[in-house]
Amino acid sequence: MEENSGECIDLRREREAATIVTEDFAVWWAGGRGQLEKRRELEQYFFSDPEFDDVASFNYLSYKERYEHVLTRGARFIAKLRQWQAKEQQSQQQEKDKDRVDIEEIYDFRRLLTGPLGAGLFPQSFPLRLHFAMFLPTLLNQGDEEQQRRWLARAWNMDGIVGTYAQTELGHGSYIRGLETRADYDVETEEFVLNTPTISAYKWWPGGLGHTANMVVVLAQLYIRGKHYGLQSFLVRIRDEQTHEPLPGIDVGDIGPKIGANGVNNGFLGFQNVRIPRNQMLMKNAQVLPDGQFKQAGQPLLLYGTMVYVRVVIVRDVTYQLLQAATIATRYSAVRRQSPIEPKAKEPQILDHLTQQAKIFPHIARGICYRLAADVLWAFYQRVMQQVETKDGAGPLAELHALSCCLKAVCTQDALDGIDVLRKSCGGHGYMSSANFDSLHGLAAAAFTYEGEHTVLLLQTARFLMRQFTAAIKRKVLPASVSYLRNASPLSWGGNLLENAARALEISASEQLRDAWQWQQKQRQAHSRTEQQANNFAGRRLAAAATLHGHAFLARNALEQLAQLKRSTNQGLFVLLQQLVELFVLDTFQRQLGAILKWNSVSGQQLQQLEQRYEELLGALRPNAVALVDGFDFHDRVLNSTLGCWDGRVYERLFEEARRNPLNQEAVNRSYHTHLKALLQSSKL
Amino acid sequence: MEENSGECIDLRREREAATIVTEDFAVWWAGGRGQLEKRRELEQYFFSDPEFDDVASFNYLSYKERYEHVLTRGARFIAKLRQWQAKEQQSQQQEKDKDRVDIEEIYDFRRLLTGPLGAGLFPQSFPLRLHFAMFLPTLLNQGDEEQQRRWLARAWNMDGIVGTYAQTELGHGSYIRGLETRADYDVETEEFVLNTPTISAYKWWPGGLGHTANMVVVLAQLYIRGKHYGLQSFLVRIRDEQTHEPLPGIDVGDIGPKIGANGVNNGFLGFQNVRIPRNQMLMKNAQVLPDGQFKQAGQPLLLYGTMVYVRVVIVRDVTYQLLQAATIATRYSAVRRQSPIEPKAKEPQILDHLTQQAKIFPHIARGICYRLAADVLWAFYQRVMQQVETKDGAGPLAELHALSCCLKAVCTQDALDGIDVLRKSCGGHGYMSSANFDSLHGLAAAAFTYEGEHTVLLLQTARFLMRQFTAAIKRKVLPASVSYLRNASPLSWGGNLLENAARALEISASEQLRDAWQWQQKQRQAHSRTEQQANNFAGRRLAAAATLHGHAFLARNALEQLAQLKRSTNQGLFVLLQQLVELFVLDTFQRQLGAILKWNSVSGQQLQQLEQRYEELLGALRPNAVALVDGFDFHDRVLNSTLGCWDGRVYERLFEEARRNPLNQEAVNRSYHTHLKALLQSSKL
């Protein structure tokens, strides 16, 4: 943090009294000194540029003005980011080959766009994001070599191309087999003819589609001579490269305001006899030959891989959103004073109220432990993808798929709930848009639903778990993340509280799975229901098992990571991380208390012990809370919050923001003269 | 519902197959045939008037335009409502005495503003509401007879007066003793001098304060000759009656965008030596004589009463918000088809998925049972207020205060969570603003925090409970709502599942209270902490006890009301209500499972039995779900939702709404030419 002066006295005292070294934590959190400094440099590069100043709050603007604001800023952002990269490459004496694009570079770029920098510049996201987040990765994963040669470099350089990925339709989301957009192959002209047969077949939701993208990857049902060949991806130009006018047969626009992410320009798209050449079906996985012959080729697993990739990344993204919210709430709670604990004493910082600590600290711990899981998941993803390339990855891919579904569902849910608790912990001022909880909530709420609806993902996880559960009965070897299913011994409460808690979570997941399985069996036997009907009747129980599995995994993973951190961190930092991991595991236990007590025998005294330790940990973290959140090193511009700024000048900032309110630029609004005045005089008539 | 044609086939089938009579439910729900018809007439009166058409979605407008829109519409609304009332009184051959105002009339008016009609016309509320909801009731409750003669009729007729109530400050909310605004009495001139000594003393939040109100009731610390006499209420003109310009010494404006309720025009207000005559301190409860003598008089309980009144009303309001959300989710889930249960079968209505039923039906049941509690609370409030007038109500007032704190906290929390679950149950489309969940969420989120922050209210409840708990130990007679605290017998699981569940909740509340009490004692004894410090350390446990008490009360009350309904409703309706109450009680049990199993002994088999019944009830409600929500009789304009309309034409409405999007009125946005085009050509440079 560059700001070294001007902090309010409460925050200064907090920082002076902390027993941890913030910078040590910051280095660890950033993944090393080099990473930390590189990020700070990049943020400085943007945030010191007056072109990227926040001249007016996004929230004052009309919906149309918001689009114009983010598009304008987005274009400047990409251009400036390119300059940065060129400079970087120059300093590393690399010659940039304009025609070479590698996937790591795309992934890095995506991280920049959705990471803290992107959040700071675009609190409600922006329309060019999907070009890098989905359009490019899809070209890479699904285009064949010739297609990559033709399109990839152009797309990477945005040479006349800005794209998005159009899968979801008005009538179909998670159940993608139900998509209705058609692509009929015309053997005569060697073209595909795209059509939107019904209103529910309109593409609906793709980011940037409304008025920004001029090309899209479209998922459509392929038909050749009237025969159906399943879903395929097609590359379609939808707007003229020069004029940007929608091309003939294209009906495109913006779907309208949403709960959040209002910078995205989500769009709708309909086709009426839109023709594209044969070589614009993406052909890495399946091909249509000129004569209309269909060939399934390549690895269908790769298609799978892109979806997994996005879910893996989401786990990381929502973790940051949760921790931004926690940082805002912590700083505000150290500045806000209210309700004396002792009568006639000075009002304390609200962070001194135990109830307030209980709202905030568990979310800090959770965010950190979810990042630990996101890192593990990312490493797992990269490992499996290498194996898939060598055609040996079907087994691990199933585990990766289930784990990514499960963690995406569980972490987005918990982050969303956490942001809400943190927002509420800031009382009335947390409700102001200028506190920025609404943007964070909006992004996490979107992540909860997109790329696989929550319950759908849990049920997919449960299907995998059920297979492992029956394999466990047969004493088969299980993948690591579910190996606990083989351990049938009941909870034995030992001296290690955390081990007890983690094991109780695992047993609960296991028993909940058994319960769902037995219920399914009962439905089939006693009521003669089919397997699928029985699955539906067991739906609640299956979803509960998947959630428990997620929590059990997260708790166990946090303990495992902690064991490794003992070797790689200094003593002060390790003690802090230990407290955080401990708080996370105990908190997860408490949140799942109903299930745990349903499936395990835990005495009142054991629960008391746990409860007591939980409250002790809150007290132990209290003196370091501000120093700890400082260590996430979120720039003030990234937090974008009147309540969360580093200097703690909360009331001044709320006030400054109110002064900027366009409504306040006139003492009397015109509506007084047009309407209110007449009302106030009408009783005299 | 007037619409009798055009409903989509799915909803028509639902309605035809229902076994309940929607109109019977509607009559019961409205409180009788007369009430139902009166409401329908009034809605017709407004919604058929083209002046009140929705010409453009609120969400497209800029913040300033939103204000102008709601102010304009609000002024028209009040004027038209007056015409309605005049017509009503004419038809009842009553002569309206312009100078007579009674409290019932104000309460009725408030109900109209915050009820379904108000919700339909102002999804994010509007700035004139506080005039009727707080300004007038305060004049009534706190003004002495002379003040009422002078101001009340004028205020009621809005004769040059539009007011609001200014209590909360930038630095202080729930802890009102900490408010900093000063009123110094100047004996020489017989005036009060109002000042805002610091930035944190600025009034912040009052609805309508920004640019609408020209008078306010201000809470300020009274000083006479430098001596402090506590908080008093003052009536202050802040804008010129003719020009509407802020008066000298007044600094007033709008605080800016919020998560929701963006029609309210919440404002800030600072005073610099603003003088008001002595007779503008509201003097029913305390007086300042011309010579500066201070006299405490009247009933301080009455001041208390206004706060209680608002909390009582909130419980009712959020119930409607929850049920609007449930109506939208139910209808959408009967129209949306997704994910076949049987392979190759037609995709079912998503309402056929058990997991979806579990997201929706418990919230319908909850909303209905919370209304039952709101009715009881309202009757209790009226009873106690009569007793207070006869100076005999201190005892019941404490119970009323605790119960209203508790239910306000618990019901707003549950409604807010419920709206969120219901929103998520609609997948991606639930995220669209046009689904209207965001407005409902915004209003419920505001209610969660205003008029007493959640945790503060729970702790106030807990203080009352703790007193009752120690009284119970001494075998004293307890007020009805806490009489269960005297029953120390453990749970005995009998044949009546609901009685088991309700009793388990009561025992859990009781035991949680005992745990908090013991923890407090331990803190004091073992750690020599003061009572207040010990309270802080027991904060989490106390808040948990208060929440459990709320749930126990709600469950018990639902069972008691059901017993009475048996006599007053027909068989078909009663069976439905029975299912709903049963679902509510079992659902509350499940939500509190952790606490229940911590404090009670319930076997696995008993839990299975309960779980099974819970799922049976979901199945039993399924065929009547649409007919049931129809019976809430929310007008389409009230629901204001593309997903929740009576005819179920979901996709058409989403699309129509998108066509109205101002961004879509041009095929190419100007930002393409100003910025995007250059970016797409830059790689060629």
Side-chain angles (χ1 to χ4, degrees):
Chain A
M1 274 304 150
E2 68 273 37
E3 303 99 322
N4 274 319
S5 63
E7 61 188 308
C8 71
I9 187 151
D10 278 328
L11 290 191
R12 195 189 321 148
R13 283 195 190 132
E14 291 286 335
R15 286 167 183 138
E16 285 168 359
T19 63
I20 60 165
V21 181
T22 293
E23 191 71 2
D24 282 356
F25 180 85
V27 168
W28 172 74
W29 179 250
R33 166 69 56 194
Q35 295 278 58
L36 178 62
E37 277 172 6
K38 191 172 158 191
R39 213 206 47 236
R40 285 178 178 168
E41 243 177 85
L42 185 64
E43 286 174 0
Q44 184 62 19
Y45 175 69
F46 276 97
F47 295 140
S48 64
D49 180 346
E51 270 224 320
F52 290 89
D53 264 0
D54 261 322
V55 283
S57 164
F58 191 70
N59 298 300
Y60 296 131
L61 305 180
S62 73
Y63 189 70
K64 189 174 170 191
E65 288 165 341
R66 290 183 196 197
Y67 173 69
E68 290 164 357
H69 171 75
V70 288
L71 195 279
T72 303
R73 169 166 283 196
R76 284 182 184 148
F77 174 58
I78 301 291
K80 193 173 166 87
L81 202 52
R82 288 227 173 109
Q83 290 167 13
W84 169 269
Q85 288 183 312
K87 208 181 61 180
E88 283 275 286
Q89 278 154 349
Q90 224 167 17
S91 75
Q92 290 163 30
Q93 283 152 6
Q94 289 172 352
E95 193 59 48
K96 170 67 184 161
D97 173 2
K98 257 193 169 180
D99 294 334
R100 197 189 53 82
V101 187
D102 79 64
I103 195 154
E104 287 305 321
E105 208 171 358
I106 295 178
Y107 288 170
D108 282 352
F109 212 78
R110 185 203 186 279
R111 247 192 303 270
L112 281 180
L113 303 187
T114 60
L117 180 64
L121 293 171
F122 308 100
Q124 300 216 14
S125 196
F126 72 115
L128 300 173
R129 201 174 72 79
L130 266 271
H131 177 80
F132 298 96
M134 298 276 307
F135 181 74
L136 270 165
T138 308
L139 284 183
L140 248 171
N141 281 321
Q142 296 181 31
D144 63 21
E145 279 179 30
E146 195 225 310
Q147 290 173 323
Q148 296 204 16
R149 257 196 312 277
R150 183 157 166 223
W151 297 108
L152 206 55
R154 273 194 71 192
W156 173 243
N157 294 313
M158 295 187 98
D159 172 7
I161 295 178
V162 51
T164 187
Y165 177 83
Q167 175 178 308
T168 300
E169 295 173 358
L170 197 46
H172 282 89
S174 293
Y175 181 67
I176 63 170
R177 269 178 295 168
L179 295 175
E180 298 173 272
T181 302
R182 277 181 79 111
D184 285 87
Y185 185 61
D186 180 343
V187 181
E188 300 298 309
T189 61
E190 297 183 13
E191 290 171 321
F192 296 102
V193 189
L194 285 135
N195 272 295
T196 300
T198 64
I199 182 173
S200 60
Y202 261 81
K203 295 295 175 188
W204 192 272
W205 279 115
L209 176 59
H211 293 78
T212 312
N214 60 18
M215 288 199 90
V216 285
V217 170
V218 174
L219 257 76
Q221 305 288 357
L222 170 64
Y223 287 82
I224 306 172
R225 299 191 184 94
K227 192 177 162 205
H228 181 214
Y229 289 90
L231 275 179
Q232 303 295 339
S233 305
F234 303 86
L235 189 61
V236 188
R237 180 167 282 281
I238 57 169
R239 287 179 179 268
D240 182 88
E241 191 178 332
Q242 290 307 316
T243 65
H244 210 58
E245 290 285 341
L247 293 171
I250 297 290
D251 182 15
V252 66
D254 180 288
I255 62 171
K258 291 141 295 171
I259 286 180
N262 276 304
V264 176
N265 190 221
N266 301 90
F268 62 81
L269 174 62
F271 298 100
Q272 199 179 358
N273 292 322
V274 172
R275 288 177 168 264
I276 56 169
R278 188 187 60 88
N279 63 5
Q280 284 181 215
M281 177 173 120
L282 295 181
M283 300 238 197
K284 194 185 213 167
N285 306 312
Q287 287 140 31
V288 174
L289 303 186
D291 64 355
Q293 224 187 113
F294 178 81
K295 285 176 69 175
Q296 187 72 47
Q299 278 279 25
L301 291 178
L302 288 178
L303 200 134
Y304 219 32
T306 312
M307 281 162 55
V308 173
Y309 160 68
V310 177
R311 287 177 195 147
V312 167
V313 175
I314 287 173
V315 174
R316 197 186 172 96
D317 288 348
V318 293
T319 294
Y320 283 108
Q321 288 148 14
L322 176 61
L323 290 172
Q324 285 175 44
T327 302
I328 297 167
T330 302
R331 288 182 180 159
Y332 177 67
S333 301
V335 170
R336 178 77 167 178
R337 291 179 169 272
Q338 198 90 262
S339 302
I341 290 171
E342 298 280 358
K344 303 191 179 185
K346 193 181 168 194
E347 290 173 90
Q349 295 159 290
I350 58 174
L351 200 54
D352 286 335
H353 293 285
L354 184 93
T355 47
Q356 187 73 355
Q357 295 164 11
K359 290 175 195 173
I360 298 176
F361 299 164
H363 292 108
I364 299 177
R366 194 180 298 170
I368 292 171
C369 291
Y370 284 9
R371 226 293 293 279
L372 295 176
D375 290 349
V376 166
L377 189 62
W378 178 247
F380 188 21
Y381 169 76
Q382 292 198 301
R383 216 162 55 238
V384 173
M385 283 302 111
Q386 279 172 352
Q387 290 174 326
V388 169
E389 296 284 349
T390 62
K391 320 222 166 188
D392 194 24
L397 188 64
E399 184 189 5
L400 173 65
H401 176 251
L403 191 59
S404 64
C405 284
C406 181
L407 292 183
K408 189 272 189 181
V410 169
C411 294
T412 56
Q413 163 96 65
D414 290 350
L416 185 58
D417 291 352
I419 292 167
D420 210 40
V421 171
L422 292 162
R423 196 263 302 159
K424 290 172 188 162
S425 82
C426 296
H429 298 333
Y431 190 74
M432 304 280 313
S433 293
S434 73
N436 204 32
F437 289 107
D438 56 356
S439 293
L440 295 169
H441 180 270
L443 294 177
F448 177 89
T449 298
Y450 66 54
E451 295 303 325
E453 191 276 332
H454 184 75
T455 304
V456 171
L457 292 187
L458 290 179
L459 292 176
Q460 283 186 15
T461 308
R463 211 157 349 198
F464 171 81
L465 290 175
M466 200 56 95
R467 280 201 305 277
Q468 303 307 318
F469 180 76
T470 48
I473 293 173
K474 296 174 192 150
R475 308 306 301 156
K476 290 191 184 160
V477 176
L478 303 189
S481 63
V482 291
S483 60
Y484 68 85
L485 292 174
R486 287 191 52 173
N487 179 353
S489 53
L491 183 63
S492 118
W493 195 270
N496 184 336
L497 210 52
L498 296 189
E499 181 54 35
N500 296 335
R503 179 70 192 132
L505 285 162
E506 288 173 349
I507 293 174
S508 304
S510 212
E511 289 301 314
Q512 181 63 41
L513 210 49
R514 181 192 307 278
D515 173 73
W517 180 74
Q518 285 171 343
W519 189 244
Q520 275 177 328
Q521 299 305 311
K522 193 174 162 191
Q523 295 298 318
R524 297 189 64 178
Q525 285 153 15
H527 305 282
S528 312
R529 289 183 167 125
T530 64
E531 186 186 340
Q532 287 75 19
Q533 288 168 337
N535 272 337
N536 184 25
F537 276 96
R540 279 176 74 238
R541 297 162 192 236
L542 288 165
T547 304
L548 275 163
H549 168 67
H551 285 152
F553 174 85
L554 287 160
R556 180 63 72 192
N557 181 69
L559 293 179
E560 286 171 3
Q561 298 305 308
L562 184 67
Q564 293 185 18
L565 288 169
K566 190 157 195 173
R567 289 188 295 275
S568 60
T569 53
N570 69 41
Q571 175 65 12
L573 181 55
F574 180 73
V575 169
L576 174 70
L577 293 173
Q578 197 172 24
Q579 289 170 344
L580 290 162
V581 167
E582 202 177 340
L583 182 62
F584 169 68
V585 174
L586 298 187
D587 185 56
T588 307
F589 181 97
Q590 302 252 25
R591 291 175 66 219
Q592 286 287 5
L593 189 61
I596 285 173
L597 296 183
K598 186 171 180 180
W599 302 118
N600 296 276
S601 163
V602 187
S603 74
Q605 208 188 347
Q606 287 160 349
L607 290 176
Q608 270 299 346
Q609 185 195 4
L610 204 137
E611 181 90 350
Q612 197 168 331
R613 180 65 191 148
Y614 184 88
E615 294 185 350
E616 276 168 23
L617 285 166
L618 297 180
L621 285 166
R622 169 66 190 88
N624 287 318
V626 168
L628 167 56
V629 299
D630 283 352
F632 296 129
D633 204 54
F634 292 122
H635 194 286
D636 274 356
R637 285 289 301 281
V638 169
L639 293 175
N640 194 27
S641 167
T642 46
L643 306 188
C645 42
W646 184 86
D647 64 14
R649 291 173 57 253
V650 168
Y651 300 131
E652 292 85 343
R653 282 173 197 258
L654 278 167
F655 221 90
E656 284 159 18
E657 188 59 34
R659 294 283 184 213
R660 300 202 302 175
N661 185 341
L663 197 51
N664 292 336
Q665 306 316 309
E666 300 153 340
V668 180
N669 183 273
R670 64 187 189 89
S671 61
Y672 170 72
H673 298 292
T674 58
H675 289 84
L676 185 57
K677 191 173 186 179
L679 180 71
L680 298 183
Q681 296 180 341
S682 64
S683 73
K684 296 196 175 108
L685 304 178
Chain B
M1 273 303 147
E2 67 274 38
E3 304 101 321
N4 275 322
S5 64
E7 62 189 306
C8 71
I9 187 150
D10 278 327
L11 289 191
R12 194 186 325 143
R13 283 194 189 135
E14 291 286 334
R15 286 169 182 137
E16 286 168 0
T19 63
I20 60 165
V21 181
T22 294
E23 190 71 4
D24 283 355
F25 181 84
V27 168
W28 172 75
W29 179 250
R33 165 70 56 193
Q35 295 277 58
L36 178 62
E37 278 171 7
K38 192 171 157 191
R39 212 205 48 235
R40 284 178 178 168
E41 241 176 85
L42 185 65
E43 286 174 0
Q44 184 62 19
Y45 174 71
F46 275 97
F47 294 141
S48 63
D49 179 346
E51 271 223 321
F52 290 89
D53 263 0
D54 262 323
V55 283
S57 164
F58 191 70
N59 298 300
Y60 296 131
L61 306 179
S62 73
Y63 189 70
K64 189 175 171 190
E65 289 164 343
R66 291 184 195 197
Y67 172 69
E68 291 164 356
H69 171 75
V70 289
L71 195 279
T72 302
R73 169 167 281 196
R76 284 185 184 145
F77 174 57
I78 301 290
K80 193 172 165 87
L81 201 53
R82 289 231 171 105
Q83 289 167 14
W84 168 270
Q85 289 183 312
K87 209 182 61 180
E88 284 274 286
Q89 278 153 351
Q90 224 169 16
S91 75
Q92 291 163 30
Q93 284 152 8
Q94 290 172 353
E95 193 57 49
K96 170 67 184 160
D97 173 3
K98 258 194 167 179
D99 294 334
R100 196 189 55 81
V101 187
D102 79 62
I103 195 153
E104 287 304 323
E105 207 169 0
I106 295 178
Y107 287 170
D108 282 352
F109 212 78
R110 185 204 187 281
R111 248 192 302 270
L112 281 180
L113 303 188
T114 60
L117 181 64
L121 293 171
F122 307 99
Q124 300 216 16
S125 195
F126 73 115
L128 300 173
R129 199 173 74 78
L130 265 271
H131 177 80
F132 298 97
M134 297 277 308
F135 182 74
L136 271 165
T138 308
L139 284 183
L140 247 171
N141 280 321
Q142 296 180 31
D144 63 21
E145 280 178 29
E146 196 225 309
Q147 290 172 324
Q148 296 204 17
R149 258 197 309 278
R150 184 159 166 220
W151 297 108
L152 206 56
R154 273 194 72 192
W156 172 244
N157 294 314
M158 295 187 98
D159 172 8
I161 296 178
V162 51
T164 186
Y165 177 84
Q167 176 179 308
T168 300
E169 295 173 358
L170 197 46
H172 282 89
S174 294
Y175 180 68
I176 62 170
R177 269 179 297 170
L179 295 175
E180 298 173 272
T181 302
R182 276 180 81 111
D184 284 87
Y185 185 62
D186 180 344
V187 181
E188 300 299 307
T189 60
E190 297 184 13
E191 289 172 322
F192 295 102
V193 189
L194 286 134
N195 272 294
T196 300
T198 64
I199 182 174
S200 60
Y202 261 81
K203 295 295 174 187
W204 191 272
W205 279 116
L209 176 59
H211 293 78
T212 313
N214 60 18
M215 287 197 93
V216 285
V217 171
V218 174
L219 258 76
Q221 305 288 356
L222 170 64
Y223 286 83
I224 306 173
R225 298 192 186 94
K227 192 180 162 202
H228 181 217
Y229 289 90
L231 274 179
Q232 303 295 339
S233 305
F234 303 86
L235 189 62
V236 188
R237 181 166 280 282
I238 57 168
R239 286 179 180 268
D240 182 89
E241 191 178 331
Q242 290 307 316
T243 65
H244 209 60
E245 289 284 342
L247 293 171
I250 297 289
D251 181 14
V252 66
D254 181 288
I255 62 171
K258 291 142 294 172
I259 286 181
N262 276 304
V264 176
N265 191 220
N266 302 89
F268 63 80
L269 173 62
F271 298 101
Q272 199 180 356
N273 292 322
V274 172
R275 289 177 167 263
I276 56 169
R278 188 187 61 86
N279 64 5
Q280 284 182 217
M281 177 175 119
L282 295 181
M283 299 238 197
K284 194 185 212 167
N285 306 312
Q287 286 139 34
V288 174
L289 303 186
D291 65 354
Q293 224 188 111
F294 179 81
K295 285 176 70 177
Q296 186 72 48
Q299 278 279 27
L301 291 178
L302 289 178
L303 199 135
Y304 218 32
T306 312
M307 282 161 55
V308 173
Y309 160 68
V310 178
R311 287 178 195 147
V312 168
V313 175
I314 288 172
V315 174
R316 196 185 172 95
D317 288 349
V318 294
T319 294
Y320 282 107
Q321 287 149 14
L322 176 62
L323 289 173
Q324 286 174 45
T327 301
I328 296 166
T330 302
R331 289 183 180 158
Y332 177 67
S333 301
V335 170
R336 178 77 168 178
R337 291 177 170 275
Q338 198 89 266
S339 302
I341 291 172
E342 298 279 359
K344 301 193 180 183
K346 192 180 169 195
E347 290 174 89
Q349 296 159 289
I350 56 174
L351 201 55
D352 287 335
H353 293 286
L354 184 92
T355 47
Q356 187 74 356
Q357 295 163 12
K359 290 175 196 173
I360 298 176
F361 299 164
H363 293 108
I364 299 177
R366 194 179 298 170
I368 291 171
C369 291
Y370 284 10
R371 226 292 293 280
L372 294 176
D375 290 348
V376 165
L377 190 60
W378 178 246
F380 188 22
Y381 170 76
Q382 292 198 302
R383 215 161 57 237
V384 172
M385 284 301 113
Q386 280 170 352
Q387 289 174 326
V388 168
E389 295 284 347
T390 62
K391 319 218 167 190
D392 195 25
L397 189 63
E399 185 189 6
L400 174 65
H401 176 252
L403 192 59
S404 64
C405 285
C406 181
L407 291 183
K408 189 272 188 181
V410 169
C411 294
T412 55
Q413 163 96 67
D414 290 350
L416 185 58
D417 290 351
I419 291 166
D420 209 41
V421 171
L422 291 161
R423 195 262 304 160
K424 291 173 189 162
S425 81
C426 295
H429 297 334
Y431 191 74
M432 304 280 313
S433 294
S434 72
N436 204 32
F437 288 107
D438 56 356
S439 293
L440 295 169
H441 181 269
L443 294 176
F448 177 89
T449 299
Y450 66 52
E451 297 303 325
E453 191 276 334
H454 184 75
T455 304
V456 171
L457 291 187
L458 290 179
L459 292 176
Q460 283 187 15
T461 308
R463 211 157 351 196
F464 170 81
L465 291 175
M466 200 56 95
R467 281 202 305 276
Q468 303 307 317
F469 180 76
T470 49
I473 293 172
K474 296 174 192 149
R475 307 306 302 156
K476 290 192 184 159
V477 176
L478 303 188
S481 62
V482 290
S483 59
Y484 68 86
L485 292 174
R486 286 191 52 173
N487 180 352
S489 53
L491 183 63
S492 118
W493 194 270
N496 184 337
L497 209 53
L498 296 188
E499 181 53 36
N500 296 337
R503 180 71 191 129
L505 284 163
E506 288 172 348
I507 293 174
S508 304
S510 212
E511 289 301 315
Q512 181 64 41
L513 210 50
R514 181 192 307 277
D515 173 73
W517 182 73
Q518 285 170 342
W519 189 243
Q520 274 177 328
Q521 298 305 312
K522 192 173 162 191
Q523 294 299 317
R524 296 188 66 178
Q525 286 152 14
H527 305 281
S528 310
R529 289 183 167 125
T530 65
E531 185 185 341
Q532 287 75 19
Q533 287 168 339
N535 272 337
N536 183 27
F537 277 96
R540 280 176 73 239
R541 299 164 190 234
L542 288 165
T547 303
L548 275 162
H549 168 66
H551 284 151
F553 174 85
L554 288 160
R556 180 62 72 193
N557 180 68
L559 292 179
E560 286 172 3
Q561 299 305 308
L562 184 67
Q564 293 186 19
L565 288 170
K566 188 158 196 173
R567 290 189 293 276
S568 60
T569 53
N570 70 40
Q571 176 64 13
L573 181 55
F574 181 73
V575 169
L576 175 70
L577 294 172
Q578 198 171 25
Q579 288 170 343
L580 290 163
V581 167
E582 203 178 340
L583 182 63
F584 169 67
V585 173
L586 297 188
D587 185 56
T588 307
F589 181 98
Q590 301 252 27
R591 291 175 66 220
Q592 286 286 6
L593 190 60
I596 285 174
L597 296 182
K598 186 170 179 179
W599 303 117
N600 297 275
S601 164
V602 187
S603 74
Q605 209 188 347
Q606 288 159 349
L607 290 177
Q608 270 299 348
Q609 184 195 4
L610 204 137
E611 181 90 352
Q612 197 166 332
R613 180 66 190 147
Y614 184 87
E615 293 186 349
E616 277 169 24
L617 284 165
L618 298 180
L621 285 166
R622 169 65 190 86
N624 287 320
V626 168
L628 168 57
V629 299
D630 283 352
F632 296 129
D633 203 53
F634 292 122
H635 194 286
D636 274 356
R637 287 289 302 280
V638 169
L639 292 176
N640 194 28
S641 168
T642 46
L643 305 187
C645 43
W646 185 87
D647 64 14
R649 293 174 55 253
V650 168
Y651 300 131
E652 292 86 342
R653 282 174 197 259
L654 278 167
F655 222 90
E656 284 159 18
E657 188 58 34
R659 294 285 184 210
R660 302 202 299 175
N661 184 342
L663 197 50
N664 292 337
Q665 305 317 309
E666 300 154 338
V668 180
N669 182 274
R670 65 189 188 88
S671 61
Y672 171 73
H673 298 291
T674 58
H675 289 83
L676 186 56
K677 191 172 185 179
L679 180 70
L680 298 184
Q681 296 180 341
S682 64
S683 73
K684 295 194 176 110
L685 305 177

